[in-house]
Amino acid sequence: MIENLLNSPPSWLNFGIFFGLATALLMVVLGFVTYGILAERKVMGFMQGRIGPNQTGGSWGLLQTIADVLKLLLKEDTIPKLADRPLFILAPIIAFAPAFMVLATIPFTDKLQFANIGVGLLYYIAVSGITTVGIVTGGWASNNKYALMGGMRAAAQMISYEIPLVMSVIGVILFTGSLNLVDIVEAQENVWYIFLQPVGFLVFFIASIAELNRTPFDLPEAESELVAGFHVEYSGFRWAFFMLAEYVYLFAMAALTTVLFLGGWHPVMFLDFIPGAVWFALKFSFVVFILMWIRYTFPRMRADQLMEFGWKVLLPVALANIFISALIKELFF
């Protein structure tokens, strides 16, 4: 159906259908963010011997995140007197928009994908980098030294870890021969790339945590050093936009990890009677849980350790993985 729409001439009907599909995806993502935050707080409470939210919405606190969002929307929207007002207002939008745009290329099943782009992986990496501009803009426009330091840290961190992140997936591209995410999943029908590319997966996973600004790589918003980093001057719904971008990227990165290394919608051997969408959801949920688990377990790294680890450890390992992958491809495939 979507292919027919793409090949048909532009019309208001086409616009309405695509707008409706985009809205539906946004609702799904917002649902994930709402209950992903709740799940994070409940699992964190369990791991730390606490209860977590248990009042709003019953003993499970099912409406706690919704109540928090309503509180944010009702809060006063303050803009510092000496801030660069236009850029201060624009920064959260620049940070959030790419997070939602990259979801268009993620194939959730062999039939459920919004844009089957030939260079889907390249599109994801290129567009996701725009968020850094929004973070740096927010830090600079706030006219606050802590916000500026957080923005500069974000730029340095994302540039440093974007390189090993990209290089870690070159092995996957070598084995597949394509940048198309559907082709990458189809190539894993018999064996997932996590088994053929264990080193690439490890580098990708570590670099993805740094790209998400999550513990132990949350230097841009280190509360113990920078109060709240790049968004220290933000409040209300503008602050909520930054948090929304973070959790939408959590959704996107977990989905991309599932596609690149965990076989996407392909089942485990004899369990092929379970629908592909269920398999994708299970793998996706497992990756999200691991990302949450890491956040509660590891302490924050120092800024110098963060940069040294990216350039002196991850980058050489990623380079070695490319060489070994090319050798294996030439000798055995």
Side-chain angles (χ1 to χ4, degrees):
M1 175 183 174
I2 294 179
E3 290 182 0
N4 293 333
L5 288 171
L6 289 171
N7 295 326
S8 60
S11 66
W12 284 109
L13 176 61
N14 284 10
F15 173 80
I17 292 174
F18 281 117
F19 183 81
L21 291 172
T23 304
L25 178 61
L26 179 62
M27 293 299 105
V28 171
V29 172
L30 291 179
F32 165 81
V33 172
T34 300
Y35 288 99
I37 293 172
L38 176 64
E40 189 159 28
R41 295 170 72 178
K42 295 293 284 188
V43 174
M44 184 191 300
F46 172 76
M47 290 184 173
Q48 297 175 352
R50 299 184 288 105
I51 298 174
N54 67 337
Q55 297 296 320
T56 309
S59 59
W60 281 87
L62 296 177
L63 300 179
Q64 182 64 56
T65 307
I66 297 174
D68 292 339
V69 171
L70 290 175
K71 178 195 72 172
L72 285 173
L73 294 178
L74 294 174
K75 269 190 172 183
E76 181 182 1
D77 177 35
T78 59
I79 299 178
K81 182 179 180 180
L82 299 178
D84 189 323
R85 189 181 180 89
L87 291 180
F88 187 88
I89 294 172
L90 192 61
I93 301 171
I94 298 175
F96 168 73
F100 186 61
M101 290 169 62
V102 297
L103 296 178
T105 61
I106 300 292
F108 300 101
T109 70
D110 54 344
K111 295 181 176 61
L112 180 56
Q113 184 186 25
F114 288 86
N116 188 5
I117 304 175
V119 290
L121 181 56
L122 179 63
Y123 169 88
Y124 183 104
I125 294 169
V127 172
S128 63
I130 300 174
T131 294
T132 310
V133 178
I135 292 175
V136 175
T137 301
W140 185 86
S142 298
N143 197 28
N144 179 297
K145 61 183 178 181
Y146 297 113
L148 182 60
M149 289 176 64
M152 293 298 101
R153 281 186 177 186
Q157 177 173 320
M158 292 194 178
I159 290 171
S160 300
Y161 281 83
E162 190 88 20
I163 297 172
L165 181 79
V166 173
M167 297 180 74
S168 66
V169 301
I170 291 179
V172 171
I173 298 169
L174 282 171
F175 284 137
T176 306
S178 174
L179 286 166
N180 185 290
L181 293 176
V182 175
D183 292 343
I184 291 173
V185 176
E186 294 295 351
Q188 299 177 72
E189 185 174 3
N190 297 320
V191 57
W192 300 350
Y193 282 146
I194 190 174
F195 301 114
L196 294 177
Q197 287 282 299
V199 176
F201 169 75
L202 190 61
V203 173
F204 178 86
F205 194 71
I206 294 172
S208 67
I209 297 173
E211 289 291 300
L212 292 171
N213 288 336
R214 291 176 66 87
T215 308
F217 303 111
D218 59 337
L219 273 297
E221 52 185 279
E223 292 86 355
S224 59
E225 304 167 26
L226 305 179
V227 188
F230 61 90
H231 56 67
V232 66
E233 296 288 1
Y234 283 88
S235 62
F237 75 96
R238 299 190 201 282
W239 180 86
F241 257 86
F242 279 117
M243 291 300 99
L244 181 60
E246 177 181 333
Y247 278 91
V248 172
Y249 266 126
L250 176 65
F251 179 97
M253 193 61 77
L256 185 65
T257 305
T258 303
V259 166
L260 293 179
F261 294 99
L262 300 181
W265 57 83
H266 288 304
V268 176
M269 294 185 293
F270 57 89
L271 297 176
D272 55 356
F273 60 90
I274 300 176
V278 175
W279 277 113
F280 190 97
L282 289 173
K283 297 172 188 177
F284 166 84
S285 300
F286 176 74
V287 175
V288 170
F289 174 77
I290 295 298
L291 288 170
M292 292 179 178
W293 188 0
I294 289 172
R295 180 180 180 182
Y296 320 140
T297 306
F298 292 96
R300 182 183 299 122
M301 298 178 71
R302 293 203 319 258
D304 60 321
Q305 293 174 334
L306 176 90
M307 300 302 290
E308 285 187 10
F309 183 70
W311 290 106
K312 295 183 179 180
V313 178
L314 284 190
L315 182 59
V317 171
L319 281 169
N321 182 65
I322 293 174
F323 175 78
I324 295 170
S325 299
L327 199 62
I328 293 173
K329 171 72 174 176
E330 183 67 25
L331 295 176
F332 300 104
F333 292 92

